[in-house]
Amino acid sequence: MEQVTQRGLTSAEVAERVALGQVNDVRRRSSRSVSAILRANVLTLFNGVIGVLWVLIMIFGEWQDGLFGLVIVANAGIGIIQELRAKRTLDRLAIVNEAPVRVRRDGAETEIPPRQVVLGDLILLAPGDQLLVDGETVDSDGLEADESLLTGEADPVHKLPGDEVLSGSFVVAGRGSYVATRVGGDAYAARLAEEASAFGLSHSELRDGVTRFIKYVTWLVVPIGALLTWSQVSRRTGVGEAVTSTVAGIVTMIPEGLVLMTSIAFAVGVIRLGRRRCLVQELPAIEILARVDTLCLDKTGTLTSGGMELGEVRGLRDDLPVPEALGALANLDPDPNPTARAVQTRYPDSPGWTVAAKIPFSSARKWSGAEFDGHGCWVLGAPDVLLPPGTPAYTEAGALAATGLRVLALGKVASLRDPDDLGTVEAAAIVVLRQRVRPEAAETLAYFAEQGVTVKVISGDNPESVSAIATSVGIPGGERAVDARTLPDDNPEKLAEIMEANTVFGRVSPHQKRLFVGALQSRGHTVAMTGDGVNDVLALKDADLGVAMGSGSGATRAVAQIVLMNDSFAGLPSVVGEGRRVLANIERVAGLFLTKTFYAIVLSLLTGVIGLAFPFAPRHSTLINALTIGIPAFFLALAPSNERARSGFVPRVLRLAVPAGIICATAVYLSYWIAQSGAATLAESRTSAVITLFVAAWWVLALVARPYVWWRVALVASMAGLFALTLAIPFTREFFALTLRDPAAGGVAAGLGVAAGAVLTGVFAVMRSRRTGPGQGDIQSVQDRSTATLGT
């Protein structure tokens, strides 16, 4: 049985299990299903309301007044198309991002996609591998698994043959293999992740804000709609006219396109980032990075390239076989880590020493070692961990590390029986490795500094070495490095204070990285964490936003919300830009939609109380909404923007939309009342109201569209031109029931719209000054200039 297990499954056994459905087929985290996309875009509350109102118009009114029903088709169609495009982008990148699983089948090792793992597969493990299915350990060579994501326990667990291993854990040290006993939805992590890893639109602060708007409007529509219905029916003007007026008011109250614009903005952001090889595993990640004010970086793999090269080996003892020991340690593992690979470039062959016992490298220990028959016990790792302070070797290693080099100590010990107490280490050599700083690091960090994002460098390397690298790429405060071994783990407040005051931290353990993220979050910071190694997994999981490199470990890529598939740190500004574009533009178009909602509410209340006919018909609402909101919002929602994300989305939009809606409604009703007081017919009075409403709503568009660049000016001007053409062309004038026999009446209506615009300009100026606050005007102007530059 043991021989069969070590050989793995045969091809026939795999085919049999596939036929039985015993395959690791789990839902992909990055996107929701096609059926879910269809339901989310078609079966909405507003689509239902608009559909019912459209049916009423088709029964009791004229078909031209039912044009608003096309909104359902447009909203659903555009939303579905954009989300399906985003889904294709996400799924394509997700497949590329999936770390292959190494299995043994027919006695040979092979790599397969995670979805092709079947029940009974023999899965091989190495440091950094994530366990995707549950199983039982078969072979263990110092195998240690971190199960903290499942159990909360931070200490790695040694796994021996026969021990259970659970999906969701990851290997931090050693090697081994296990047999899959539960796959697909039966695996432990799959059951836990069903909710946590679902498509993430619902967890967006922006999305939640839009949902709150919808909830508020729903509460208002019911009683105001009832009042409007009663007032129109009581006028005894006929059922058709009453229904038409009521529908016009209710339809205008509904911000039907706001949810669509939010979905489109997110979807287009995903597509744009996908073209830059950025995999967004949860859509709110786009938004979160726009809000980030603190970015924690792991030096290795982020500021520096993942690979290293051996610089020199400084022997400290002539009587010790340094080359042989380095060769033996570097060639212990058939799948060496980057450090061992660098040493192998000079010592490619093992001296033939027989291994009696070995301890694999782990980020917590910061060293690895082995006992060789007849040659004693040797260790290779961090000098400040292995060597006694104050010794010449310790001092020499520290001086080299301060120049930005990565330094290791090779030493000999009496025994490896107690890894926690090696006793005295005989220093044999100092090994110097050169790290390559990423060429894009300095420019990228300068971008974050300009954007007001604080950078913290958190690394497991020597503090002096980390400080030298941080200084070379221009990180403020990089010259002062803190040794994390001196920091308190049991005093969160003190730790948070130290984190606020310092920038560079060295000798940070994986557990401390997690504490550091929590300490910064306790001070109200929105924290992003980047990393590529297994020692970054816990911090990435706890951060508000985890960003992994595409070449990082499988466990790291699995827990991150964003994966930089091309390994380029320079990709982060693109993600920030997309996030800021989404937030700023949705806030911008939300102002348009909510202004419409509030002027409709006020007009409906005035109509219900006074008892006049509603100031315009549904076809008028369709025309004005298309020219002042629908068409412009589509372009504004996708425009470039670099405004810094700020909290308070809902109250900020309401502070502008409510007064703007009241001002527009007042001007419209005054225009309508003046026309009704004269000899104007209902059609002429409504035309006056439409002219006033268009001018006032167009003015809101002009204010919201700032700062101006050529295309925004063209957009605003073209909407005015289209309305003028609608009035000038007989066919469109008749189609939209616009009657303008008296030019003076049109002039009065337009004048009232201009007067409303002047008041709106003053209100917007006051609200803008309150938003920026004392001393912040310069900052806002810089942001506006930056936005204008991007827009060109």
Side-chain angles (χ1 to χ4, degrees):
M1 178 65 183
E2 181 65 21
Q3 291 179 347
V4 173
T5 302
Q6 289 292 354
R7 190 179 69 243
L9 297 177
T10 64
S11 299
E13 289 172 328
V14 171
E16 179 184 353
R17 284 161 171 75
V18 171
L20 293 173
Q22 298 171 340
V23 186
N24 188 44
D25 187 13
V26 292
R27 175 178 165 182
R28 201 172 267 125
R29 170 191 192 189
S30 56
S31 65
R32 53 183 171 182
S33 65
V34 173
S35 60
I37 291 174
L38 293 174
R39 287 195 303 271
N41 284 278
V42 175
L43 303 179
T44 68
L45 173 63
F46 284 168
N47 279 358
V49 172
I50 293 174
V52 170
L53 297 176
W54 180 81
V55 171
L56 290 174
I57 286 293
M58 291 297 99
I59 295 173
F60 296 103
E62 299 182 42
W63 70 268
Q64 294 96 327
D65 285 322
L67 287 176
F68 65 86
L70 295 175
V71 170
I72 299 177
V73 179
N75 280 3
I78 295 173
I80 290 169
I81 291 170
Q82 291 289 4
E83 282 210 48
L84 288 177
R85 288 182 63 203
K87 175 181 171 59
R88 284 196 298 269
T89 301
L90 284 168
D91 289 349
R92 186 170 61 250
L93 286 177
I95 292 173
V96 175
N97 179 57
E98 285 180 344
V101 179
R102 293 185 305 125
V103 299
R104 188 172 293 137
R105 290 178 176 176
D106 294 317
E109 181 180 325
T110 184
E111 290 188 345
I112 61 173
R115 290 170 178 265
Q116 292 183 14
V117 173
V118 299
L119 192 69
D121 254 327
L122 181 66
I123 301 172
L124 309 180
L125 297 174
D129 287 347
Q130 185 186 34
L131 280 72
L132 300 176
V133 297
D134 301 344
E136 181 180 314
T137 306
V138 172
D139 180 53
S140 174
D141 184 9
L143 184 65
E144 297 179 21
D146 190 312
E147 298 179 344
S148 58
L149 298 179
L150 304 175
T151 66
E153 295 294 332
D155 295 334
V157 180
H158 292 273
K159 293 297 181 180
L160 301 175
D163 288 348
E164 182 185 33
V165 289
L166 295 175
S167 53
S169 56
F170 54 93
V171 179
V172 293
R175 298 179 180 279
S177 61
Y178 75 104
V179 172
T181 58
R182 287 190 295 271
V183 298
D186 295 331
Y188 185 72
R191 297 197 302 270
L192 290 179
E194 183 63 28
E195 295 180 6
S197 296
F199 188 72
L201 269 177
S202 60
H203 305 294
S204 160
E205 182 178 337
L206 178 61
R207 185 80 173 191
D208 290 346
V210 173
T211 302
R212 288 170 62 188
F213 286 141
I214 293 173
K215 182 173 66 175
Y216 298 154
V217 171
T218 303
W219 289 344
L220 292 171
V221 163
V222 174
I224 294 176
L227 174 64
L228 184 61
T229 302
W230 176 83
S231 70
Q232 297 306 294
V233 171
S234 64
R235 291 182 64 246
R236 304 181 187 278
T237 56
V239 176
E241 177 64 29
V243 169
T244 299
S245 296
T246 301
V247 169
I250 295 176
V251 166
T252 310
M253 276 188 272
I254 299 173
E256 67 280 347
L258 186 54
V259 176
L260 171 69
M261 289 301 162
T262 305
S263 298
I264 289 176
F266 272 127
V268 171
V270 167
I271 295 168
R272 286 175 172 174
L273 290 175
R275 291 171 182 161
R276 295 185 175 98
R277 304 290 291 167
C278 293
L279 169 60
V280 181
Q281 304 204 88
E282 297 175 6
L283 286 193
I286 298 176
E287 173 187 341
I288 295 170
L289 190 47
R291 302 184 189 279
V292 163
D293 59 15
T294 304
L295 177 62
C296 295
L297 304 174
D298 177 54
K299 177 181 69 66
T300 305
T302 303
L303 298 182
T304 62
S305 300
M308 293 175 286
E309 53 189 27
L310 183 61
E312 63 175 317
V313 177
R314 297 188 180 186
L316 303 176
R317 294 273 299 272
D318 295 334
D319 58 330
L320 293 176
V322 170
E324 291 81 0
L326 281 174
L329 290 172
N331 290 278
L332 274 175
D333 199 324
D335 184 19
N337 60 29
T339 301
R341 281 197 296 269
V343 175
Q344 283 179 351
T345 58
R346 188 169 302 176
Y347 306 102
D349 299 320
S350 171
W353 292 6
T354 303
V355 180
K358 67 177 181 180
I359 296 179
F361 177 82
S362 77
S363 300
R365 281 191 295 269
K366 303 193 186 307
W367 59 267
S368 61
E371 180 180 352
F372 301 97
D373 290 340
H375 299 283
C377 301
W378 293 81
V379 291
L380 180 67
D384 47 348
V385 173
L386 296 176
L387 303 180
T391 61
Y394 184 95
T395 304
E396 183 177 356
L400 289 168
T403 65
L405 297 169
R406 185 169 189 180
V407 182
L408 302 175
L410 174 68
K412 193 172 184 182
V413 296
S415 172
L416 294 177
R417 287 191 182 90
D418 185 1
D420 295 327
D421 184 11
L422 292 175
T424 302
V425 178
E426 298 180 54
I430 292 176
V431 180
V432 181
L433 301 170
R434 295 193 184 94
Q435 303 174 97
R436 295 185 289 271
V437 177
R438 290 184 181 271
E440 71 273 13
E443 183 180 352
T444 304
L445 291 168
Y447 167 84
F448 283 115
E450 292 172 1
Q451 300 301 318
V453 178
T454 302
V455 173
K456 306 286 184 183
V457 182
I458 301 174
S459 174
D461 284 354
N462 181 283
E464 287 74 19
S465 175
V466 182
S467 177
I469 296 293
T471 303
S472 71
V473 295
I475 295 178
E479 67 281 356
R480 300 186 310 276
V482 177
D483 191 328
R485 292 172 297 186
T486 65
L487 298 180
D489 286 353
D490 55 353
N491 189 339
E493 185 60 33
K494 180 64 176 176
L495 181 61
E497 183 180 328
I498 296 172
M499 292 296 300
E500 287 273 14
N502 296 277
T503 301
V504 177
F505 302 84
R507 289 294 176 237
V508 184
S509 69
H511 176 63
Q512 281 182 310
K513 288 186 179 184
R514 194 178 199 180
L515 293 177
F516 285 7
V517 169
L520 290 168
Q521 290 171 329
S522 71
R523 291 296 182 98
H525 294 294
T526 302
V527 181
M529 175 77 191
T530 71
D532 70 338
V534 68
N535 59 324
D536 302 318
V537 171
L538 302 179
L540 286 171
K541 186 69 175 178
D542 283 1
D544 296 291
L545 182 72
V547 182
M549 296 295 172
S551 63
S553 70
T556 305
R557 302 203 308 267
V559 301
Q561 288 100 330
I562 291 178
V563 181
L564 305 179
M565 303 296 292
N566 57 2
D567 274 1
S568 176
F569 181 46
L572 278 179
S574 299
V575 183
V576 173
E578 283 302 322
R580 294 188 173 181
R581 180 191 62 78
V582 169
L583 264 66
N585 291 338
I586 292 303
E587 181 170 330
R588 196 185 305 273
V589 300
L592 292 176
F593 281 104
L594 270 298
T595 296
K596 181 197 77 164
T597 294
F598 283 105
Y599 72 60
I601 288 173
V602 174
L603 286 174
S604 297
L605 287 172
L606 289 173
T607 301
V609 172
I610 297 175
L612 295 176
F614 196 74
F616 44 81
R619 70 186 77 179
H620 299 144
S621 175
T622 300
L623 174 65
I624 294 171
N625 292 347
L627 296 182
T628 63
I629 300 171
I631 297 172
F634 185 81
F635 291 97
L636 292 175
L638 304 180
S641 179
N642 201 35
E643 295 182 36
R644 177 76 179 273
R646 296 166 292 134
S647 59
F649 166 68
V650 173
R652 194 163 52 247
V653 171
L654 290 178
R655 279 198 299 269
L656 290 175
V658 172
I662 293 173
I663 292 167
C664 289
T666 303
V668 168
Y669 218 83
L670 183 59
S671 175
Y672 181 65
W673 180 77
I674 290 173
Q676 283 281 75
S677 300
T681 64
L682 177 62
E684 292 171 336
S685 300
R686 282 180 164 173
T687 300
S688 295
V690 167
I691 293 173
T692 302
L693 180 58
F694 174 79
V695 173
W698 177 85
W699 205 295
V700 173
L701 169 64
L703 293 172
V704 166
R706 296 180 300 179
Y708 295 126
V709 290
W710 71 266
W711 68 266
R712 294 191 186 195
V713 173
L715 176 67
V716 174
S718 63
M719 295 301 104
L722 286 174
F723 184 74
L725 285 174
T726 303
L727 288 175
I729 300 174
F731 170 75
T732 53
R733 195 167 58 240
E734 181 181 351
F735 183 87
F736 286 105
L738 298 173
T739 303
L740 191 62
R741 293 194 181 94
D742 184 3
V748 171
L752 287 171
V754 171
V759 177
L760 284 167
T761 303
V763 170
F764 270 60
V766 171
M767 293 300 176
R768 187 181 182 86
S769 64
R770 289 181 181 177
R771 184 177 68 182
T772 56
Q776 296 184 31
D778 293 339
I779 296 175
Q780 185 65 33
S781 65
V782 168
Q783 290 177 345
D784 287 350
R785 288 197 299 272
S786 176
T787 306
T789 302
L790 282 170
T792 60

